[in-house]
Amino acid sequence: MNARLKVRREEKVSKYIKDRVREGRTLHFTLIDPAKLSNINSIERVAEKLVEAGTDCFMIGGSLGVSERDVDEVALRLKKFGLPVIAFPGNISGLSRYVDAVLFMSLLNSEDPYYIIGAQVAGAIVVAKYGIEALPTGYIVVGYGGTAGYVGRARPIPYEKHEIVVAYALAAYMLGMNYIYLEAGSGAPQPIPQESVKLVKSVIPDAILIVGGGIRDPNVAVRLSQVGADVVVTGNIVEDSLEKAVEIVRAIRSIRKPPSFPANSSPNA
Ligand code: 1GP
């Protein structure tokens, strides 16, 4: 067994996220799917615009056709902007030694144990070998589900079954996952319902609540934040309309909620 493993869980990137959330900010994450990029050479130009508008982090990943080399290349290009770069792996090939952190996710409502714990076992030593910070994340697929839902063999929770979403989120939190990602699927015709977001936030206010899938409109993003999303993720819109993506980032940046300072507000909490 290689002894040079560096296990890092919720350190710098986690502090970066949690500090902002405690200040009353909602964060915007820009998701770049290397398999969907029409031109990798335009990535810096696109990223510059989003950074200028105020995006908080870059996430790199996708459910199909993403190799570690793809993630490496995108991560190296994005790192120069000084924002945290986070892997969002659909599988173990979605890891990279060049990212600052990984959403270490379990697709909780998958019917296939591989996506719940198998891929995580396969990837854990790689994450420790690279010394990447792990952000323990319960990944919950709702409604449309998209490619992530299909490939991950999820049994998507019907859009209107808010109590099932809450039950999954609660179970994740009780298992120690401080990040809860409600995923409607990339390109979803409907984002995560506000009611689900609201209920999850009210039951586990201390978890970092990430919401993504099908968000293409600044008003929708703002409303999701108002009902409890701590992080709003947009992916497709960057390729579809950079202008719209910039509008969404600006709208999110202008939100201020009352600051929260929970008792466990130490940097690693
Ligand atoms: C998908 O939640 C993300 O994993 C982003 O979805 O591409 O629809 O913005 P969109």
Side-chain angles (χ1 to χ4, degrees):
M1 182 76 204
N2 184 338
R4 278 179 305 166
L5 298 181
K6 198 164 175 208
V7 182
R8 299 175 58 208
R9 183 188 191 267
E10 295 194 79
E11 294 182 1
K12 264 164 71 178
V13 176
S14 202
K15 178 169 166 28
Y16 172 95
I17 295 168
K18 290 182 176 180
D19 282 354
R20 280 160 181 73
V21 168
R22 286 181 188 128
E23 283 165 18
R25 289 260 324 273
T26 299
L27 282 77
H28 176 268
F29 286 8
T30 297
L31 171 63
I32 306 286
D33 181 342
K36 287 186 187 164
L37 279 178
S38 50
N39 176 7
I40 183 124
N41 294 316
S42 64
I43 198 168
E44 282 96 343
R45 184 185 56 81
V46 168
E48 202 180 325
K49 292 250 180 326
L50 293 162
V51 172
E52 242 173 55
T55 194
D56 296 282
C57 288
F58 289 110
M59 283 203 325
I60 308 172
S63 313
L64 260 190
V66 179
S67 72
E68 181 159 343
R69 269 177 84 158
D70 297 330
V71 185
D72 286 350
E73 186 174 6
V74 175
L76 286 170
R77 284 170 183 256
L78 292 177
K79 266 175 105 80
K80 29 186 125 114
F81 293 95
L83 296 180
V85 176
I86 303 174
F88 175 55
N91 213 319
I92 55 165
S93 64
L95 296 170
S96 159
R97 66 187 71 225
Y98 300 114
V99 296
D100 301 300
V102 55
L103 283 192
F104 200 83
M105 310 189 289
S106 173
L107 202 177
L108 296 171
N109 56 324
S110 175
E111 289 192 311
D112 184 342
Y114 177 78
Y115 291 98
I116 302 171
I117 188 60
Q120 296 73 3
V121 171
I125 292 176
V126 179
V127 170
K129 224 189 263 177
Y130 292 170
I132 308 166
E133 176 180 342
L135 307 178
T137 305
Y139 190 53
I140 302 164
V141 175
V142 176
Y144 171 74
T147 311
Y150 185 84
V151 172
R153 298 173 64 101
R155 192 154 55 104
I157 302 169
Y159 273 118
E160 71 284 5
K161 293 288 180 195
H162 313 300
E163 69 279 14
I164 302 180
V165 176
V166 170
Y168 268 99
L170 198 51
Y173 188 67
M174 287 175 172
L175 284 165
M177 300 170 188
N178 286 332
Y179 290 78
I180 306 292
Y181 193 140
L182 302 184
E183 172 70 90
S186 191
Q190 247 180 282
I192 297 289
Q194 289 176 41
E195 189 60 19
S196 293
V197 175
K198 195 173 159 185
L199 283 172
V200 170
K201 193 63 192 175
S202 68
V203 174
I204 38 172
D206 288 352
I208 299 295
L209 181 52
I210 307 172
V211 177
I215 300 168
R216 323 173 171 82
D217 179 85
N219 298 323
V220 171
V222 169
R223 278 200 294 276
L224 287 167
S225 153
Q226 282 164 346
V227 294
D230 298 307
V231 177
V232 172
V233 181
T234 59
N236 271 355
I237 195 71
V238 173
E239 279 281 315
D240 295 347
S241 161
L242 182 55
E243 217 170 276
K244 205 67 180 176
V246 164
E247 268 180 49
I248 294 176
V249 179
R250 291 214 176 106
I252 292 172
R253 269 317 271 263
S254 66
I255 301 168
R256 280 288 180 285
K257 300 183 202 169
S260 63
F261 296 98
N264 60 343
S265 61
S266 77
N268 289 330

